[in-house]
Amino acid sequence: MPSVSSRLPVFPWDRLEPYKATAQAHGGGIVDLSVGTPVDPVPPVVRAALAAASDSPGYPTVWGTAALRASILGWLARRTGARGLDEHGVLPVIGSKELVAALPAQLGLGPGDRVAFPEPAYPTYEVGARLAGAEPAPYRGRATELDPAGLRLLWLNSPANPTGRVLGAAELREVVTWAREHGVLVFSDECYLELGWEAEPVSVLHPEVCGGSHEGLVAVHSLSKRSNLAGYRAAFLAGDAALLGELLSIRKHAGMMVPAPVQAAMAAALDDEGHVAEQRARYARRRAALREALTARGFRIAHSEASLYLWATRDEPCWETVAELSKLGILVAPGEFYGPAGERFVRVAFTATDERVAEAVARLTA
């Protein structure tokens, strides 16, 4: 049988292992700023909901409980300004990465179809296209400059990973109008929506962007970052009810169900805003400290107005930067992981503990 994995690029993080070993050998231990994984506690209100729902012997529903759908709709109305959505316009998924990787195939895309995504970009957009046998179409600049021929799916990512760039309402509206004119589906990855620092992120579902219609539009949201739930694999989709109905039918056949206790935890997380403000304050302190230290060491920070990363450069090949920082015991992600546009940048996550961030700052400014 042909190897499906042969369609995929080399898993990039394996290339970072030698630099990780160097960083681990530092006398003060490694400060790992390479992966944006949460390290702070899961909010007590979420843990309580998970525990209360732990006696769940039956199969959960793919569509999610009525309580979860109501919590999703409530959060969307409060946080994104979305109007006109009902429970048919939402769908829980088993983490956003699974969704991104599986989506092109679930939409029936294949050879001859094109999947566009911004560059530099989260690598899984390309992986999803390749798994389906479709053609990846990375783009720089405006999506409206793409050739629409054969283009079936367009990914937006705002706030962006890795750059932290935020697309304004006017630019999003222009993309939505263009995509509808050309019959292109738009999926907007908005997993960092609640982590704006120097700009206020806008959802593709906001009436100023979509014109009050969700046709051809789906927003992707995750609780991994805003609620420290990466280990729960908790995410959801919202938007075009007909399109989500199709995905629901497919996912029912495939048994793609968010576990029942996790659904209860998701509802609790979406209903509570207090823990989000607390976590934002933690990240804001870490971000400010690392930004100042990197700038003092000669780095320039590009974009980074939102998300959990600083997109930093000293205008040298990214692997040289990775190597130098690893000697300080600091591990960062080379921008090349996110496409050729990132080859002179590194991505610095500020998701480490306060103690580790303080240690990184001390080493950078010594």
Side-chain angles (χ1 to χ4, degrees):
M1 294 179 64
S3 169
V4 176
S5 64
S6 65
R7 302 177 191 169
L8 305 180
V10 175
F11 188 64
W13 296 96
D14 292 342
R15 297 172 57 197
L16 201 57
E17 285 302 313
Y19 303 95
K20 184 176 183 179
T22 298
Q24 287 172 328
H26 190 277
I30 186 173
V31 180
D32 192 345
L33 307 178
S34 65
V35 182
T37 187
V39 298
D40 299 304
V42 173
V45 67
V46 176
R47 296 171 65 185
L50 183 80
S54 61
D55 186 14
S56 298
Y59 290 110
T61 63
V62 176
W63 193 19
T65 63
L68 175 56
R69 296 196 297 271
S71 293
I72 292 172
L73 288 168
W75 180 85
L76 287 165
R78 293 191 308 274
R79 186 60 189 85
T80 72
R83 298 290 181 268
L85 283 173
D86 62 24
E87 62 179 6
H88 298 284
V90 298
L91 178 65
V93 294
I94 314 162
S96 59
K97 184 170 185 176
E98 168 265 310
L99 182 280
V100 173
L103 180 67
Q106 291 182 358
L107 291 174
L109 274 58
D113 297 322
R114 296 166 61 229
V115 176
F117 48 86
E119 188 191 4
Y122 181 49
T124 313
Y125 303 133
E126 178 181 356
V127 168
R130 293 191 180 280
L131 283 173
E135 177 188 345
Y139 65 89
R140 302 184 191 182
R142 292 184 174 273
T144 53
E145 297 172 356
L146 282 162
D147 180 357
L151 185 60
R152 300 283 304 282
L153 172 62
L154 169 63
W155 279 105
L156 299 177
N157 182 206
S158 174
N161 176 14
T163 66
R165 183 183 176 218
V166 172
L167 301 179
E171 186 172 355
L172 288 170
R173 183 169 59 249
E174 180 183 4
V175 173
V176 168
T177 300
W178 178 88
R180 285 172 169 166
E181 289 173 352
H182 295 286
V184 179
L185 294 177
V186 174
F187 272 68
S188 180
D189 184 345
E190 302 175 357
C191 291
Y192 298 92
L193 189 79
E194 298 216 82
L195 295 165
W197 310 112
E198 298 166 11
E200 184 62 36
V202 181
S203 173
V204 75
L205 300 179
H206 193 284
E208 290 185 10
V209 174
C210 68
S213 168
H214 310 122
E215 182 181 359
L217 306 177
V218 174
V220 181
H221 289 279
S222 168
L223 278 68
S224 293
K225 314 301 185 184
R226 54 94 72 186
S227 298
N228 298 334
L229 296 188
Y232 284 44
R233 310 314 302 133
F236 61 90
L237 310 180
D240 188 319
L243 183 52
L244 293 186
E246 172 68 8
L247 289 176
L248 174 60
S249 296
I250 294 166
R251 295 170 73 86
K252 282 181 178 178
H253 281 289
M256 303 179 85
M257 300 171 281
V258 176
V262 174
Q263 293 191 32
M266 290 175 68
L270 289 166
D271 290 343
D272 180 72
E273 302 293 341
H275 76 274
V276 181
E278 183 179 345
Q279 190 59 44
R280 275 181 56 88
R282 289 191 186 109
Y283 284 142
R285 291 192 299 269
R286 295 166 185 167
R287 177 182 184 272
L290 281 170
R291 183 176 190 128
E292 183 177 352
L294 287 166
T295 302
R297 200 174 179 89
F299 284 88
R300 174 173 57 85
I301 307 299
H303 300 300
S304 305
E305 56 259 32
S307 82
L308 291 178
Y309 314 106
L310 294 169
W311 189 234
T313 181
R314 290 196 308 189
D315 295 310
E316 65 186 8
C318 60
W319 287 105
E320 291 183 16
T321 309
V322 170
E324 179 179 329
L325 291 177
S326 71
K327 294 173 185 175
L328 297 177
I330 300 170
L331 189 66
V332 298
E336 184 183 285
F337 280 5
Y338 307 95
E343 60 188 8
R344 300 181 77 82
F345 286 82
V346 293
R347 193 191 74 170
V348 184
F350 43 90
T351 54
T353 64
D354 289 344
E355 183 274 330
R356 287 288 86 186
V357 168
E359 180 67 19
V361 169
R363 295 178 195 180
L364 288 166
T365 56

